[in-house]
Amino acid sequence: MTTHNLHDTVALLTRTPAALDALLRDLPETWTLRNEGENTWSAFDVVGHLIHGERTDWIPRAKIILQFGEARAFDPFDRQGHVRESKGKSMEQLLDEFARLRSESLDELRKLNLRQEDLEKRGRHPALGVVTLSELLAAWVVHDLTHLHQISRLMAHQYREAVGVWSAYLGVLKCQGHSA
Amino acid sequence: MTTHNLHDTVALLTRTPAALDALLRDLPETWTLRNEGENTWSAFDVVGHLIHGERTDWIPRAKIILQFGEARAFDPFDRQGHVRESKGKSMEQLLDEFARLRSESLDELRKLNLRQEDLEKRGRHPALGVVTLSELLAAWVVHDLTHLHQISRLMAHQYREAVGVWSAYLGVLKCQGHSA
């Protein structure tokens, strides 16, 4: 395990939109619109959620830490925000929008010109309590990976029966998800 | 859940190399060379394993089913085959090789010109017993997704401590893996 490294963080955050684009663009709806059952998300929902995070979560929270420190808690994140973001849109529109917003977020991050002492600054999460800017940026990366993990699982679920006895060897089919 | 559909299968198999390329090419070694601890794989190992599968697993087994049916069991798959495949190579070389081999595999699949009655043909897995060609092709897809799931998990592991209290909300960090 490693400590947070801003260069590594930016490298991964930069690649997520292109990875999702390569996987999901023009993919049949079997993979993009189906979910894992009632009250679960499709890949389409996940991309909408990532868009909502770019708008309201990561950079806005970084700025709250830098401006207010622990004095002002972050605005709570709306876990249903993706419904509004994605209504009436195609997967291709969502992928374009996510790529554009992520690129803008990373531009903003560069403009903040963060030094080590900035990364150690503290803010206040409305539920989790005191956090640092460094932890926020690391969580941004792992949030991308959580949803890549979810997408691979929910897509595999569509072939749960189609693989027959091979399911014994295919780990992703044993994953029950790990949402809070 | 859905039954196996050859068009959907090919659509996903076609996209995996580009998705891994977009995620992993020129990514810092923090993400590509680290693993989850002793006897676990890095992203580099996983791409080597996918290459080994293209060479020895999917299309070769499809041909064994079509030629021999249940009369001849598949050759066992070497789960350490990636060590030989990836020795002395860079991640970029592996990504190029996987893309080339997958493209060749899909060319071969097209040439087989499979009809519904072919998909129902049976073969014999050395450990799992009787399987169908349809199940083999569905398993190929879910095998890609299993390793995308694994890569997202093992990369997230590198920031397990860096995210601090956010780990409570980041499902991928709760995944223990599901290998046989």
Side-chain angles (χ1 to χ4, degrees):
Chain A
M1 273 172 285
T2 180
T3 53
H4 177 244
N5 174 298
L6 189 56
H7 173 76
D8 292 344
T9 290
V10 170
L12 209 152
L13 291 174
T14 303
R15 282 164 176 77
T16 305
L20 291 178
D21 196 280
L23 185 66
L24 300 173
R25 185 173 294 265
D26 298 325
L27 196 64
E29 295 184 351
T30 298
W31 305 121
T32 58
L33 294 189
R34 297 194 190 183
N35 62 20
E36 297 173 282
E38 208 176 345
N39 293 319
T40 65
W41 288 1
S42 65
F44 181 82
D45 295 327
V46 171
V47 181
H49 168 78
L50 290 170
I51 287 171
H52 192 61
E54 293 306 302
R55 285 199 212 284
T56 69
D57 192 336
W58 308 106
I59 290 291
R61 287 181 170 189
K63 289 181 172 172
I64 289 171
I65 292 177
L66 291 169
Q67 192 173 354
F68 301 102
E70 296 174 55
R72 181 184 150 190
F74 308 143
D75 300 325
F77 182 77
D78 178 3
R79 291 182 194 225
Q80 294 304 314
H82 65 279
V83 177
R84 217 164 42 250
E85 296 289 355
S86 52
K87 198 166 183 181
K89 294 182 185 158
S90 67
M91 174 61 101
E92 287 62 43
Q93 287 174 298
L94 293 189
L95 289 167
D96 288 341
E97 199 165 349
F98 177 50
R100 181 177 59 76
L101 290 169
R102 174 58 59 89
S103 172
E104 290 174 9
S105 296
L106 292 174
D107 283 346
E108 295 233 46
L109 183 63
R110 261 183 296 275
K111 281 187 208 145
L112 294 176
N113 196 21
L114 299 175
R115 298 152 302 173
Q116 187 55 41
E117 67 205 72
D118 294 318
L119 292 173
E120 289 160 17
K121 284 184 178 156
R122 291 157 157 237
R124 194 151 51 82
H125 187 285
L128 297 171
V130 174
V131 294
T132 66
L133 180 52
S134 169
E135 288 165 353
L136 174 73
L137 299 177
W140 191 2
V141 167
V142 178
H143 183 264
D144 276 11
L145 293 170
T146 282
H147 288 293
L148 188 58
H149 186 261
Q150 178 184 22
I151 285 174
S152 62
R153 186 189 70 232
L154 72 87
M155 293 195 345
H157 176 74
Q158 311 311 323
Y159 267 9
R160 183 175 294 281
E161 291 181 355
V163 301
V165 292
W166 256 292
S167 61
Y169 286 177
L170 296 165
V172 69
L173 295 175
K174 294 174 201 157
C175 186
Q176 299 298 306
H178 319 276
S179 295
Chain B
M1 273 173 286
T2 179
T3 52
H4 177 244
N5 174 298
L6 189 56
H7 172 77
D8 291 346
T9 290
V10 169
L12 208 152
L13 291 174
T14 302
R15 282 163 175 79
T16 306
L20 291 178
D21 197 281
L23 185 65
L24 299 174
R25 185 173 294 266
D26 299 324
L27 196 63
E29 295 184 351
T30 298
W31 305 120
T32 58
L33 294 188
R34 297 193 190 182
N35 62 21
E36 296 174 282
E38 208 176 345
N39 293 321
T40 65
W41 288 1
S42 65
F44 181 82
D45 295 327
V46 171
V47 181
H49 168 77
L50 291 169
I51 287 172
H52 192 62
E54 293 306 302
R55 285 198 211 285
T56 70
D57 192 336
W58 308 106
I59 290 292
R61 287 180 170 190
K63 288 180 173 174
I64 289 172
I65 292 177
L66 291 170
Q67 193 173 354
F68 301 101
E70 295 175 56
R72 181 185 149 191
F74 308 144
D75 301 324
F77 182 76
D78 178 3
R79 289 182 195 227
Q80 293 305 313
H82 66 280
V83 177
R84 216 163 44 249
E85 296 289 354
S86 53
K87 200 167 182 181
K89 294 182 186 160
S90 67
M91 174 61 102
E92 287 63 42
Q93 286 174 300
L94 293 189
L95 290 166
D96 287 342
E97 198 166 348
F98 177 49
R100 181 177 59 76
L101 290 169
R102 174 60 58 90
S103 172
E104 289 173 10
S105 296
L106 293 174
D107 283 346
E108 295 233 44
L109 184 63
R110 260 183 297 274
K111 281 186 209 146
L112 293 176
N113 197 20
L114 299 174
R115 298 152 303 176
Q116 187 56 40
E117 67 206 71
D118 294 317
L119 292 174
E120 288 160 19
K121 284 184 177 156
R122 291 155 157 239
R124 193 152 50 82
H125 187 285
L128 297 171
V130 174
V131 293
T132 67
L133 180 53
S134 170
E135 289 165 351
L136 174 72
L137 299 177
W140 190 2
V141 168
V142 178
H143 183 263
D144 276 11
L145 294 170
T146 282
H147 288 293
L148 188 59
H149 186 260
Q150 178 185 22
I151 286 173
S152 63
R153 187 188 71 231
L154 72 87
M155 293 196 345
H157 176 73
Q158 311 310 323
Y159 268 8
R160 184 175 292 281
E161 291 181 356
V163 302
V165 292
W166 257 292
S167 61
Y169 286 176
L170 295 164
V172 69
L173 295 175
K174 293 174 202 156
C175 185
Q176 300 298 306
H178 319 276
S179 295

